């Protein structure tokens, strides 16, 4: 068994690495296509082929270097105090914060056999609740923050819980209801952003009042850097996820329901209540993501406060294979991609990051494709179809 | 691998006696009656009691044919409310049959809408509600939704879940603008369709061959499509719009004769190629699915692929074909966003229409007619909302904009009858 | 058409499902292929039907070697198959199902269906063979026997000259089985060759012309229908078989389970359990016999709270449990082995250890208030695996890696790992080899002797007659007769077909 497990782990690690390589190679081709000099050199490719390769190489090299420097470490700004040295890392952690929390939310639902694409709605619901407490109530230090965090997590849990409740009561497929609830939440927020008491009347824009200083997540590396306490909360959430899934009664039940709801029911487990529990918890993780967005990264509500985390979290969960360590690593990685993208933009369009992200996850989800590309023989019968199920299932 | 066949869905479970027809009796009938009754009461009380004095004015026809229907607002609203209540009463007493139910629901919705528009004309900024313009907008907004929904129906009836309609449309929109600028809008149309099909090929390949969870796959393909179109938009179109992002719009063309029908003519038969193709697609999908060999096999493969396999149908090939055709239709829907209405491409121009189309597929219970009706309903709701935000600035249009989504949730929750997907939808087929 | 298989070999990984099988079927012959579950009969037929490709060997039709890339080829060559699990689309009509795959079209680019001609063709063939079916009814609304007729018609409409019937009687009432045999004889008269796959000796002897016995993927012998049941059984199993199950007479104690007027309605409104009343006492085995699909599944599920009881009451030791949850019922000391262990009994991706506490994981000593005690769960698993002789190299292996018999042992081990008042066990030996079967039977008897009331659901007449102390026969949702152990097979068979002794067939 030991041997088998380690071989499987090695196998999935290999697939992951190859998925990365494939994604980066395809992206490199895109970078070359988008590069003006490379394109014009390609016009006389048959006279001076080396020009095309040189320019393409430069464009690709510059892009990936800029990405790295924006996300991890930039030797040229390293001397300029903390901000220069730790700036890129701070950005990576800031972007990673909601991705990790959200990735845990998607991953938890996966493990329990549900697919939560409702992250956007749950984050918005959380942000509305946390934001409202943050700017409308005025409480003492610490208490205000704690109350706002709890309000946000409850908001996310509630929004996820609607889906769980519908699934438990009526069998409504969670993919459909979560998609729909995303739009409901977005419209609700749009509405609130025009309502007196919510809208920042001074601005005239669709933006709320700013959250009280007391309710903001404290910055970790001083005022020049954006990274805030949220990243610590996200990592703690991952620890909680680990305990829940491995050592708790609830986790056992959720895993059983996820793997075989009929057997779980036959063994006396309440499958319906489990669906509700899963979606409440999954929504709560997204609630934490929403909290970090509204109380940390931003300080006022706008209708794009979710920053696309709802969908990005799905890619994080897939890359992290719905386990806590993997999710943290995947969250940091995609956080780094986002953080580096601003710096990369001088060389190639910013959406490259989304392409890279999409490609990585596409190949991770299809180990058979990677095996076909690199001609690796499959070990065992793992086809990647374990997760496959239909609307009725 | 085992030689003991796993017990599958084919396990017959019989004992056929005493089957009750639940649609006609019991709670479902009364729930429907209650819904109609609530709608009727809203019309009578909320609208009827508050409606101002004077004539409700509804504008129909356009250009030289323009007319205004003017009637006492109070009379219109109260009459329509009463009719709805009468329908609700009959529903509670006897119940309408299975076949009549969708039509009755449609009539109730229509009557309520007319009452509502009459009310709006007496309370809005303008005295006349331009119904013609409203419907014109509704059709415009519905075209991509209908096409997206047909794409979903084609794929899902063969057993492949298509959550990637959004991505297919986005790719179609981008390619139509790009190719349309370089080579003219007719080529743009072809480019849009082709781009949709290419996205469909990815869906088919990864879903059918590599057996990736199809919902996951759809989500990832949407991310990818947004990334790629955004990337190429920035790389080419953003810097040099005249060269890459200024396609000619498809020209509008009046169908001789038909376009002169009052009211309907200008609405339906004075439009561009995408709109006419939409009509063709709706009819074609319906006919193909229910009247041809291809359709019979498609439905068989979507319900019980192994059974289809045992009679010699090539399950995977058929699924490939349906996914490709379906996503090409979505690509056409995408083309409408650029060369069919706006012209230039902009990032995320489809703005969630693909997901609404998916909702229409489910709301319409995977049937071409139902999905078309649902797409038209959603398109109309969206047009109405836009109009209301002008006529009644104080109206909570954001809350009204939730309605299609809430309606879909209500539908899948089974409050208005059970929704059932094709039996094998989303399940990859593995030959033993 | 003369069918010949020569040296057919089919392997799945390390398992050889068919090992150099030779078989000849003459036109107008009913050739029975007899073997235990898992002997490789279905694999062989799937090879013949083009669903599997053989690793070695060849198929000859009238002496000509043929290869089938898929079922389409096999059908074109005149081979038809009626699968054990019907290959019918439930939401299609009978005509559509029969037509599917070789549709009659009116031409045109798209191929418009010609429903009129399709109907006519179906009606013509159904007239010719006397196989009456409602052409326009949806298959999902038809009884199993009629669905099977549709399957046979599917093959006949395609001019099948060789017809394979895979365990055709598994889901039929004895009456329907007799009808089926009539149909088989009629087809034989018309010159069709029939391959009849089964493990039921009675049917083989009644209808077959020639018998080939398969064991562990090999042909182990041939026989004629006049061979005795015992001869055939020992050929099939590979050793002399004790058809009787050794047990002492029952010593019933107090009443444990009582069902009164229990009625269960499924989600589409069909009455699946109709006013059922029965009682089981401690120390006796009460068998619910009947053809599959007559409400036994729903009744047992209702007893353990998995199906809502619409009316009537269920009591266990005097406590009303009609509305109790499954969790509560199991907690009262009820063990439950569901009929479909892979679907309902096990979480196949969970480890053996986890499966062994699937319904106990939240109780001491396996768990605290919130957490699990993984150490105790593991120790428990090691003990059970030892005690029940579950063949696995580690309790950390996923349950899916075990054989069917070992999976069933895991389920039994779990349910029998605590003192039981009531033990409900459904189809306990379905799909098991004879060795595992004997083990399971012995454990059931042992549990009875320990003083538990046992409810046994089985559609295998032999099992019912061998184990039961009392037998209730279910037909169309009702217990239509209750008979003591020792009642003749004929009488029970009549009841299973809905016929009360001394009367004409019940409506």
């Amino acid at each position: 068994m030991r041997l088998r497990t380690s071989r499987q782990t090695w196998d999935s690690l290999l697939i992951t690495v190859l998925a990365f390589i494939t994604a980066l190679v395809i992206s490199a081709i895109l970078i070359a296509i988008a590069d003006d000099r490379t394109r014009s050199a390609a016009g006389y490719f048959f006279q001076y082929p080396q020009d095309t390769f040189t320019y393409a190489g430069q464009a690709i090299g510059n892009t990936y270097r800029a990405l790295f420097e924006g996300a991890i470490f930039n030797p040229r700004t390293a001397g300029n105090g903390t901000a220069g040295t730790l700036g890129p890392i701070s950005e990576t952690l800031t972007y990673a914060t909601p991705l990790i929390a959200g990735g845990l939310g998607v991953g938890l639902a996966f493990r329990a056999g549900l697919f939560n694409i409702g992250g956007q709605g749950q984050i918005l619901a959380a942000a509305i609740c946390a934001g409202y407490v943050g700017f409308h109530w005025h409480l003492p230090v610490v208490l205000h923050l704690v109350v706002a965090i709890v309000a946000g997590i409850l908001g996310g849990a509630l929004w996820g819980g609607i889906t769980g409740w519908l699934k438990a009561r009526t069998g409504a497929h969670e993919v459909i209801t979560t998609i729909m609830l995303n739009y409901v939440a977005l419209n609700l927020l749009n509405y609130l952003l025009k309502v007196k008491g919510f809208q920042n009347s001074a601005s005239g824009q669709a933006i709320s009042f700013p959250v009280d200083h007391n309710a903001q997540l404290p910055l970790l590396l001083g005022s020049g850097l954006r990274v805030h306490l949220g990243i610590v909360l996200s990592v703690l959430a991952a620890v909680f996820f680990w305990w829940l899934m491995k050592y708790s009664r609830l986790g056992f039940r959720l895993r059983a329901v996820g793997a075989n709801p009929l057997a779980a029911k036959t063994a006396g487990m309440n499958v319906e209540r489990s669906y509700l529990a899963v979606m409440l918890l999954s929504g709560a993780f997204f609630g934490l993501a929403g909290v970090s967005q509204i109380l940390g990264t931003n300080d006022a509500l706008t209708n794009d406060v979710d920053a696309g985390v709802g969908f990005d979290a799905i890619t994080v969960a897939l890359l992290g294979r719905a386990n806590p360590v993997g999710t943290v690593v995947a969250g940091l990685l995609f956080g780094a991609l986002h953080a580096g993208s601003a710096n990369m933009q001088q060389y190639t369009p910013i959406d490259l990051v989304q392409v890279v992200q999409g490609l990585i996850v596409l190949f991770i989800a299809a180990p058979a494709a990677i095996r076909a590309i690199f001609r690796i023989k499959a070990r065992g019968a793992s086809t990647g179809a374990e997760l496959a199920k239909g609307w009725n299932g | 691998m085992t030689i003991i066949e796993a017990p599958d869905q084919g396990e017959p479970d019989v004992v056929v006696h005493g089957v009750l027809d639940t649609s006609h009796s019991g709670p479902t009938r009364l729930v429907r009656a209650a819904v109609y009754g609530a709608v009727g009461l809203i019309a009578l009380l909320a609208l009827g009691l508050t409606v101002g004095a004077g004539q409700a004015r509804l504008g129909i026809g356009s250009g030289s044919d323009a007319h205004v229907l003017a009637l006492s607002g109070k009379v219109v609203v109260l009459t329509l409310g009463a009719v709805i209540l009468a329908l609700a009463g009959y529903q509670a007493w006897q119940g309408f049959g299975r076949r009549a139910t969708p039509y009755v629901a449609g009539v109730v919705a229509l009557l309520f809408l007319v009452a509502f528009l009459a009310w709006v004309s007496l309370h809005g900024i303008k005295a006349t509600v331009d119904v013609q313009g409203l419907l014109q907008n509704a059709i415009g907004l519905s075209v991509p939704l209908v096409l997206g929904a047909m794409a979903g129906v084609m794929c899902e009836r063969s057993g492949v879940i298509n959550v990637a309609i959004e991505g297919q449309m986005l790719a179609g929109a981008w390619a139509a603008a790009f190719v349309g600028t370089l080579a003219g809008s007719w080529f743009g149309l072809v480019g849009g369709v082709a781009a949709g099909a290419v996205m469909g090929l990815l869906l088919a390949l990864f879903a059918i061959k590599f057996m990736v969870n199809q919902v996951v796959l759809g989500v990832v393909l949407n991310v990818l499509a947004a990334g790629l179109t955004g990337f190429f938009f920035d790389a080419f179109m953003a810097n040099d719009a005249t060269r890459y992002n200024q396609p000619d719009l498809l020209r509008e063309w009046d169908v001789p004769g038909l376009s002169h029908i009052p009211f309907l003519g200008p609405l339906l038969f004075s439009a561009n190629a995408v709109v006419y193709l939409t009509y063709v697609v709706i009819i074609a999908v319906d006919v193909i699915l229910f009247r041809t060999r291809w359709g019979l096999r498609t439905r068989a493969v979507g319900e019980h692929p192994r059974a289809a396999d045992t009679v010699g149908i090539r399950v995977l090939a058929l699924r490939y074909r349906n996914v490709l055709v379906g996503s090409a239709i979505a690509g056409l829907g995408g083309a409408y966003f650029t060369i069919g209405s706006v012209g230039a491409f902009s990032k995320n121009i489809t703005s969630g229409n693909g997901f609404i189309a998916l909702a229409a597929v489910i709301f319409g219970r995977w049937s071409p007619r139902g999905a078309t009706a649902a797409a038209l309903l959603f398109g109309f709701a969206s047009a109405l909302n836009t109009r209301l935000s002008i006529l009644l600035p104080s109206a909570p249009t954001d809350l009204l904009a939730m309605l299609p989504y809430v309606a879909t949730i209500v539908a899948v929750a089974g409050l208005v009858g059970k929704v059932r997907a094709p039996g094998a939808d989303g399940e990859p087929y593995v030959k033993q | 058409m003369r069918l010949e298989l020569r040296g057919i070999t089919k392997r799945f990984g390390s398992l050889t499902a068919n090992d150099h099988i030779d078989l000849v079927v003459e036109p107008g012959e009913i050739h029975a292929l007899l073997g235990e579950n898992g002997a490789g009969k279905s694999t062989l037929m799937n090879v013949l039907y083009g669903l599997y490709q053989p690793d070695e060997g060849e198929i000859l039709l009238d002496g000509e070697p043929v290869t089938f890339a898929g079922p389409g080829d096999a059908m074109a060559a005149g081979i038809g198959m009626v699968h054990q699990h019907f290959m019918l689309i439930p939401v299609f009509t009978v005509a559509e199902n029969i037509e599917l795959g070789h549709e009659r079209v009116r031409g045109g680019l798209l191929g418009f269906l010609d429903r009129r001609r399709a109907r006519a063709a179906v009606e013509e063939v159904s007239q010719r063979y006397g196989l009456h079916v409602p052409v326009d009814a949806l298959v999902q609304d038809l009884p199993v026997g009629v669905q099977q007729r549709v399957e046979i018609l599917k093959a006949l409409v395609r001019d099948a000259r060789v017809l394979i019937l895979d365990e055709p009687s598994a889901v039929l009432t004895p009456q329907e089985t007799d009808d089926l045999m009539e149909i088989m004889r009629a087809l034989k008269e018309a010159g069709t060759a029939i391959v009849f796959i089964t493990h039921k000796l009675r049917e083989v002897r009644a209808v077959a012309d020639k018998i080939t016995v398969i064991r562990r993927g090999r042909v182990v012998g041939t026989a004629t229908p006049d061979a005795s049941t015992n001869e055939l059984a020992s050929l099939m199993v590979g050793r002399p078989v004790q058809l009787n199950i050794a047990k002492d007479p029952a010593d019933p104690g107090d009443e444990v389970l009582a069902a009164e007027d229990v009625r269960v309605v499924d989600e589409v409104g069909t009455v699946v359990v109709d006013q059922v009343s029965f009682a089981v006492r401690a120390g006796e085995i009460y068998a619910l016999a009947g053809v599959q699909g007559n409400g036994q599944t729903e009744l047992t599920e209702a007893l353990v709270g998995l199906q809502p009881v619409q009316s009537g009451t269920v009591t266990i030791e005097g406590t009303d449990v009609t509305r109790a949850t499954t969790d509560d019922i199991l907690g009262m000391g009820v063990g439950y082995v569901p009929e479909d262990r892979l679907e309902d009994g096990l979480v196949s991706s969970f480890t053996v250890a986890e499966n062994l506490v699937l319904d106990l994981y939240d109780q001491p000593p396996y768990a605290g208030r919130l957490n699990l005690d993984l150490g105790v769960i593991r120790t428990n698993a090691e003990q059970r695996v030892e005690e029940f002789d579950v063949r696995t190299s580690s309790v950390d292996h996923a349950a899916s890696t075990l054989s069917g018999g070992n999976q069933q042992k895991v389920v039994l081990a779990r349910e029998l790992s605590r003192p039981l008042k009531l033990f409900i066990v459904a189809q306990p030996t379905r799909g098991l080899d004879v060795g595992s079967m004997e083990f399971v039977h012995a454990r059931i008897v042992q549990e009875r002797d320990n003083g538990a009331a046992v409810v046994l659901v089985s559609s295998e007449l032999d099992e019912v007659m061998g184990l039961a102390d009392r037998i209730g026969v279910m037909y169309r949702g009702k217990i239509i007769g209750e008979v003591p152990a020792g009642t003749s097979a004929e009488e029970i068979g009549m009841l299973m077909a809905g016929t009360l002794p001394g009367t004409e067939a019940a409506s």
Side-chain angles (χ1 to χ4, degrees), chain C residues 86-371:
Chain C
F86 298 153
M87 290 298 165
L88 297 172
I89 320 275
V91 296
F92 278 17
T93 65
V94 168
E96 283 174 330
N97 265 294
I98 293 174
E99 192 186 8
L100 186 68
H102 74 153
E103 303 81 354
R104 284 165 181 78
V105 292
R106 285 196 301 257
L109 195 65
L110 287 168
F112 285 92
L113 297 171
D114 190 339
R115 294 182 192 274
R116 213 163 43 83
R117 265 177 59 212
R119 281 182 97 252
V122 172
E123 272 168 356
E124 192 269 315
V125 177
S126 96
Q127 291 287 328
R128 186 170 2 131
Y129 292 96
L131 288 167
H132 299 290
V133 289
V135 182
D136 295 318
L138 292 185
V139 162
Q140 63 189 10
D141 298 335
L142 300 177
V144 202
V146 180
Q147 292 191 14
Q148 190 168 57
R149 247 178 271 162
V150 176
E151 276 281 31
I152 295 173
L153 272 178
K154 253 169 84 179
L156 296 179
V157 165
R158 290 167 171 77
D159 295 322
R161 307 305 302 142
V162 177
L163 186 63
I164 307 166
L165 300 171
D166 188 2
E167 299 278 3
S169 61
V171 289
L172 301 184
T173 62
Q175 191 65 49
E176 284 173 323
T177 306
D178 290 344
D179 290 347
L180 173 70
M181 289 188 196
E182 278 311 309
I183 293 170
M184 286 167 71
R185 289 191 191 104
L187 291 172
K188 170 185 153 177
E189 289 306 313
T192 309
I194 295 176
V195 183
F196 175 40
I197 304 175
T198 186
H199 65 279
K200 295 191 178 167
L201 303 174
R202 184 179 78 88
E203 294 166 13
V204 169
R205 297 181 60 221
V207 78
D209 297 315
K210 229 191 263 174
I211 302 166
T212 297
V213 184
I214 294 188
R215 182 169 76 238
R216 294 197 182 155
R218 287 188 199 178
V219 174
V220 290
T222 52
T224 46
D226 49 20
S228 77
T229 313
N230 257 330
E231 274 175 80
L232 289 175
S234 29
L235 252 184
M236 195 164 98
V237 177
R239 60 184 164 85
V241 182
Q242 186 61 37
L243 288 174
N244 300 322
I245 298 161
K247 66 179 175 67
D248 299 325
D251 176 21
D254 296 336
E255 188 173 288
V256 175
L257 171 73
E260 258 172 72
D261 296 333
V262 171
R263 182 177 154 100
V264 178
V265 177
D266 73 6
E267 58 211 36
V268 295
T270 311
V271 179
V272 286
V273 175
D274 196 358
Q275 307 297 117
V276 164
S277 301
F278 71 106
V280 187
R281 298 198 284 172
E284 71 168 347
I285 298 178
Y286 185 94
L288 284 168
V291 176
Q292 191 186 330
N294 275 289
Q296 306 95 311
T297 310
E298 292 81 0
L299 176 58
T300 42
E301 287 183 352
L303 295 180
V304 292
L306 288 166
Q307 287 254 12
V309 175
Q310 202 208 29
S311 63
T313 53
V314 179
T315 52
I316 293 174
E317 289 196 331
T319 313
D320 187 336
V321 295
T322 317
R323 302 272 173 273
T325 64
T326 305
D327 204 23
D328 292 339
I329 293 172
L330 297 184
M332 293 173 70
V334 176
Y336 175 53
V337 176
E339 69 175 52
D340 189 335
R341 58 185 164 271
L342 264 182
E343 196 88 339
D344 299 321
L346 290 167
V347 177
S348 54
S349 61
F350 271 28
T351 65
V352 171
E354 286 174 322
N355 272 299
L356 281 166
V357 293
L358 204 59
D359 53 4
L360 301 165
Y361 74 98
D362 56 352
Q363 292 158 22
Y366 308 111
R369 274 181 61 80
L370 289 171
N371 62 304

Side-chain angles (χ1 to χ4, degrees), chain B residues 84-302:
Chain B
I84 297 174
L85 279 184
L87 288 170
Y90 185 79
Q91 172 76 24
W93 176 48
Q94 288 269 296
F96 292 96
R98 189 190 284 269
R99 275 169 181 280
T101 292
Y103 298 101
V104 174
V107 167
V108 168
L110 187 72
L111 295 179
F112 179 78
L113 270 169
V114 175
F116 179 65
L117 291 176
W119 187 89
V120 168
S121 87
L122 284 164
H123 296 262
I125 286 174
K126 289 188 197 160
T128 305
V129 174
D130 178 8
V131 176
Q132 187 85 27
L134 172 65
L135 293 177
Q136 199 83 51
N137 286 354
I139 287 177
L141 292 170
S142 300
V143 164
L145 294 179
V146 169
L147 290 171
M150 291 303 106
V153 169
M154 277 306 275
C155 292
E156 304 214 356
R157 277 292 185 151
S158 76
V160 178
I161 291 179
N162 190 355
V163 179
I165 301 171
E166 176 82 2
Q168 291 155 0
M169 294 219 280
L170 198 52
W174 180 86
F178 188 77
V179 179
T181 313
L182 295 179
S185 48
W186 286 108
F187 284 96
L189 195 62
V190 176
V193 170
V198 169
M199 290 302 294
L201 185 63
L202 282 178
L203 174 65
L205 192 68
F206 280 83
I208 299 168
K209 185 170 168 66
F210 298 129
M211 293 184 281
V212 179
N213 176 307
Q214 291 163 14
V215 175
V216 169
L217 180 59
V219 170
V220 172
L221 287 177
N222 287 335
V223 171
L224 205 57
L228 282 171
T229 54
F231 180 83
F232 285 117
F233 175 81
D234 281 344
F236 298 102
M237 296 170 158
N239 300 329
D240 199 347
T242 29
R243 209 167 134 201
Y244 297 114
N245 196 14
Q246 217 171 54
D248 294 328
L249 286 182
L250 287 166
R251 228 164 330 129
E252 306 231 320
W253 178 70
D254 294 352
V255 181
L258 293 178
S259 62
H260 296 298
I261 302 172
F263 187 56
L264 289 180
L267 212 52
L268 298 176
F269 299 109
S270 172
N272 66 36
V274 181
V275 179
Y276 295 128
L277 282 172
T278 305
Y279 304 157
V280 175
V281 165
I282 295 170
I283 295 167
V285 170
D286 193 63
V287 167
I288 286 172
L289 276 181
F290 296 107
R291 286 176 196 279
T292 70
R293 170 165 52 194
W294 175 11
L296 187 74
R297 293 183 171 193
T298 296
R299 289 182 290 131
V301 161

Side-chain angles (χ1 to χ4, degrees), chain A residues 114-171:
Chain A
L114 299 189
F115 195 8
N116 180 4
I117 345 192
Q120 185 190 6
Q122 290 147 25
I123 290 175
L124 293 179
I128 290 170
C129 295
Y132 184 77
V133 171
F135 62 72
H136 201 263
W137 296 7
H138 303 288
L139 302 170
V141 194
V142 182
L143 181 67
H144 198 179
L145 177 60
V146 171
V147 172
I149 290 174
V150 170
I153 290 177
L154 286 180
L158 177 79
W159 209 252
I162 297 173
T163 295
W165 182 80
L166 284 169
K167 173 130 190 145
R169 281 301 296 271
T170 70

Side-chain angles (χ1 to χ4, degrees), chain A residues 190 192-195 198-209 301-303:
Chain A
N190 280 336
L192 290 174
L193 289 176
K194 291 174 195 158
V195 167
F198 234 94
Q199 185 185 18
N200 186 345
S201 26
S203 74
Q205 310 277 317
I207 188 168
S208 75
F209 293 108
L301 272 171
T302 54
N303 68 7

Side-chain angles (χ1 to χ4, degrees), chain A residues 49-270:
Chain A
Q50 67 270 37
D51 273 13
T52 308
F53 291 118
T54 314
Y55 293 143
Q58 281 175 5
I60 295 163
N62 284 336
T63 302
Y64 287 154
R65 182 172 47 76
L67 193 60
F68 179 83
E69 287 175 356
I72 314 287
F73 179 73
N74 188 342
R76 276 164 297 166
T77 60
N80 310 341
T82 1
T85 317
L86 295 176
I89 286 286
S90 158
E91 282 303 288
T92 293
L93 293 176
T94 308
Y95 281 108
T97 303
L99 290 178
I100 293 172
L104 293 170
V106 176
L108 181 83
F110 263 150
R111 296 284 286 273
L114 299 189
F115 195 8
N116 180 4
I117 345 192
Q120 185 190 6
Q122 290 147 25
I123 290 175
L124 293 179
I128 290 170
C129 295
Y132 184 77
V133 171
F135 62 72
H136 201 263
W137 296 7
H138 303 288
L139 302 170
V141 194
V142 182
L143 181 67
H144 198 179
L145 177 60
V146 171
V147 172
I149 290 174
V150 170
I153 290 177
L154 286 180
L158 177 79
W159 209 252
I162 297 173
T163 295
W165 182 80
L166 284 169
K167 173 130 190 145
R169 281 301 296 271
T170 70
H173 200 288
E174 75 279 2
V175 166
I176 299 159
T177 51
T178 48
I179 292 176
M180 297 305 133
L181 284 170
N182 283 344
Y183 289 102
V184 173
L186 183 62
N187 283 302
L188 179 66
L189 178 56
N190 280 336
Y191 169 74
L192 290 174
L193 289 176
K194 291 174 195 158
V195 167
K196 241 191 211 158
F198 234 94
Q199 185 185 18
N200 186 345
S201 26
S203 74
Q205 310 277 317
I207 188 168
S208 75
F209 293 108
V211 170
D212 277 11
H213 190 75
N214 276 356
Q216 288 182 15
L217 290 160
L219 297 175
L220 293 182
L221 296 176
S223 59
L225 297 169
R226 295 205 299 162
V227 62
H228 52 78
L229 192 66
I231 185 70
V232 178
L233 297 180
S234 284
V235 172
L236 287 177
V239 174
F240 170 69
F241 183 106
W242 170 77
W243 173 83
L244 184 74
M245 279 304 164
K246 191 158 170 62
Y247 293 103
S248 78
R249 282 165 50 170
L250 179 62
F252 186 91
R253 191 175 90 197
L254 299 187
R255 285 190 294 125
V257 168
N260 184 348
L262 291 172
K265 190 177 171 211
T266 305
M269 300 178 192
N270 187 327

